[in-house]
Amino acid sequence: MAERGFCGALRRARAFAERPWIRVLVVVTSLLVAVVLLRPGPSGPKRATWEELVLPLAPGAIVTRGYHLSPPRRGEEEDVIFTARRGAEKIEIHVVDRGRWPGVRETKSFGVAYETPRSNAPTEDLEAVTQALRDVIDRNDTGHGSPASIPLAAEAEPPALARALMRLEGWRVIVVPGLVALAVGLVGALRRGDAIVAAALFGLGLLLRAAHLDVPFVHDQDVQRLFTGALPLGEILTGKGLEDRHPPLWFVVLHVAGWFGDSEAVMRAPAVIAGALVAPAIVWGARLVRGRAGPLGAVAALRVAVSPEFVARSREVSEIPLFALLVVVMCSLVVAIPHPQPLSRPRERGGDAPSEPLSRDGRGVGVRELGLAATTALLAWTYYLAPLVIAGVLVGLWAARKPLASVARPIGLGALLGAPAFVLLFVTIVRDHGAREVAERFPDLAWGAGEGAGLGYLIAEVYKNVGPGVLVAVWAAMAGLMAPRCAGALVPCGALLVTMMGVSFASKFARVQPYYVGAVAPVLALAIALAPRGRVPMWIWSVLAGVALSLLFVMPRPRPHLTYLPDADAFMPRFAAIAASRSEKRFVTVAHYDATLLAYYLKREANEPAEWPRTEVSGEFVVGEEGRRILPLVQVHRMEEQTAEQAREKLRAALAEGPALVIERDAFVLAPVHDEIARCEVLVEAPSARLVACGGGGR
């Protein structure tokens, strides 16, 4: 009797909790609490900067043994990095939270240690300089918080969104994402929840990606794509646009964006919009396959909307967000297209049942097949990972024991339309052969053996994008294998798995990097949204997805607020402004990628259109009406054993013709060149680079 009364009470409580107004109340309360927890507090008293914590040392001062200290910069793991240089020798010293790195030197609040891979100095110098810097910090350390919480003198006041995200620490880093996941899941459970969730996630994704887009460019790839997008459409589709290492569709998109200007914000806008659409696309895909996305689809899509890594990728001039969007659409359409089953094998519980009744609508099936063909073609013209994604989708269907013939026609048609892009892919791989030979000789290059694209690196890259959701997606795929004909989780997981294996294999002969798989990693959220619900109830999947989302921001990664602050390596606008104000007509960059960045910001200084500058036979860029020339000393992907000496001779020949400004960055120091410019006048020094004047009065 007592048991019956208890069960009855549970049923009544559940019925009460499922009332729409109760859910709306919980949603509003959860979001209000999350907002309050993220609300920045009042500005406190002015805090000591890192420059003050190393007094009496200062940028340019000698630490010990002749090593000069450079300005500090932010690291990638909530640390601060000091660099000490003596000629071509460099020591990189990291300051982290006390106790984080065992066995290193410590002060009252911090751990101080040098990083071997990025330092090139004798061991005794590494030890001496690190000890000297530690002693200076210890004398000024009166008890401080995390290194990331201490400002740098050159840093501007963080914007409101960055200050709010800075509150994601301690217990808030788990509670706030959990509250948002609860609210989104409850909205997804409402009758019209799918539409509300899709709109809300698009708005949230747009807010996180579009805020403060005017931060300077750091990577030359952004400027290269911008310049190529400024070419005439005919040149993009038949000329210089085909010489790039990427298919031309993205350059067409940038060409259209260029109608509205060529600033950093305008050129980043297409990727921002595409990235913000990925989460709504997951909700749409789950609804297309299941008939309704529900709480699970809502929470799974939320993961992509707020992923710090994917947000950062969506703020670059990159086709990665668009490709991720197309991959989600393709996988959704493949699963949603009806797959006839043999009569002797009835559908088992846990399969893709909700999409079967829709198969009677011939027009609906035709629209999906047409959409699949178009998506496949767009994939081919957007990113060269397309063949791997297509193969992975077919592998996922095979693993789900679905007949491949049901999608052969639309995928075949799309592949036929994208065939010219596949030819360009082959040409790119052939061109990359020389770059691979360079990487074997210089393994510290970004695509060299020092970084690699092994499966371990690729798994780490996927984990950076979706966090603990990887485990939920893997479980969903395993459940899909146990639930016959459940392609929902297997197709997205197959697309990602084959892509990872392909990138790992291609790293042996092509110039690929681990971050490429970030273009496919968001599809794991679709695998979670389409997890089999036969053997595992939907509410369990939803709870698992919510818990995994709560743990997303716990992972060691750059804190999300740093996305909205200028990067320490974004020194080129400052260098270009100084260069434009001086009389020198020739500028020299040690690495070719700095020449591209400098050309863009010199054009911005002169209010000229951002487009490829005229290139001389010597490889120099000619910028502006005054004929300013930019000479890159080294093409990094064409380096040889004699490159350093050849670069020195090119520099000497340039200086023989007159004074010049030279840009050298820490990431690419050539000893012969460094020794040559060591006698020049340092005009300005950034944390990772310096601008010097050589020749004339500067030498």
Side-chain angles (χ1 to χ4, degrees), residues 255 351 469 544 635:
H255 182 87
L544 288 174
Q635 297 285 333

Side-chain angles (χ1 to χ4, degrees), residues 278-302:
V278 175
I282 291 171
V283 175
W284 167 82
R287 182 178 179 86
L288 183 68
V289 175
R290 301 293 193 194
R292 183 181 181 188
L296 178 58
V299 175
L302 175 62

Side-chain angles (χ1 to χ4, degrees), residues 385-406:
L385 295 182
L388 297 175
V389 172
I390 295 171
V393 166
L394 298 178
V395 168
L397 276 180
W398 171 81
R401 289 170 253 180
K402 299 283 189 179
L404 302 184
S406 56

Side-chain angles (χ1 to χ4, degrees), residues 10 60 66 79 119 143 145 247 297 328 420 450 686:
L10 283 179
D79 57 343
S119 301
V328 169

Side-chain angles (χ1 to χ4, degrees), residues 310-589:
F310 193 58
V311 167
R313 291 295 176 198
S314 301
R315 291 169 57 85
E316 299 174 353
V317 187
S318 170
E319 65 271 42
I320 283 179
L322 176 60
F323 191 79
L325 175 63
L326 293 172
V327 171
V328 169
V329 172
M330 180 183 189
C331 291
S332 301
L333 290 172
V334 166
V335 178
I337 288 178
H339 304 278
Q341 305 296 339
L343 296 177
S344 59
R345 298 181 62 185
R347 175 178 50 82
E348 299 183 29
R349 187 182 181 191
D352 300 314
S355 66
E356 294 299 330
L358 299 176
S359 64
R360 300 189 185 98
D361 184 359
R363 289 180 300 176
V365 174
V367 169
R368 290 174 204 164
E369 290 184 345
L370 182 61
L372 180 56
T375 304
T376 304
L378 290 174
L379 277 174
W381 287 104
T382 302
Y383 209 40
Y384 283 143
L385 295 182
L388 297 175
V389 172
I390 295 171
V393 166
L394 298 178
V395 168
L397 276 180
W398 171 81
R401 289 170 253 180
K402 299 283 189 179
L404 302 184
S406 56
V407 297
R409 182 173 60 180
I411 289 181
L413 176 59
L416 182 63
L417 295 174
F422 298 148
V423 175
L424 293 175
L425 168 60
F426 176 77
V427 173
T428 300
I429 291 175
V430 172
R431 287 204 306 255
D432 275 357
H433 182 69
R436 283 305 326 161
E437 293 179 346
V438 171
E440 292 175 2
R441 293 193 296 269
F442 304 95
D444 290 335
L445 294 175
W447 66 91
E451 291 292 334
L455 284 177
Y457 289 100
L458 299 179
I459 292 173
E461 188 68 30
V462 173
Y463 196 82
K464 284 164 58 178
N465 278 272
V466 294
V470 173
L471 304 177
V472 182
V474 169
W475 189 15
M478 294 176 62
L481 288 172
M482 294 183 291
R485 291 179 294 284
C486 183
L490 292 176
V491 167
C493 288
L496 178 61
L497 181 60
V498 172
T499 299
M500 292 172 61
M501 296 174 64
V503 170
S504 179
F505 176 72
S507 67
K508 296 176 174 55
F509 55 84
R511 186 171 18 148
V512 297
Q513 297 183 55
Y515 77 84
Y516 288 10
V517 299
V520 188
V523 82
L524 283 186
L526 179 65
I528 297 173
L530 299 180
R533 306 176 188 182
R535 291 178 170 82
V536 181
M538 185 183 69
W539 69 270
I540 293 182
W541 286 120
S542 301
V543 170
L544 288 174
V547 170
L549 178 63
S550 296
L551 299 175
L552 177 64
F553 293 88
V554 179
M555 301 183 301
R557 62 168 62 249
R559 299 181 66 187
H561 75 276
L562 297 180
T563 302
Y564 309 100
L565 303 178
D567 193 287
D569 288 334
F571 53 79
M572 200 57 75
R574 184 182 176 194
F575 285 13
I578 294 174
S581 66
R582 293 179 60 91
S583 60
E584 289 89 349
K585 300 299 182 183
R586 168 170 273 165
F587 312 116
V588 179
T589 66

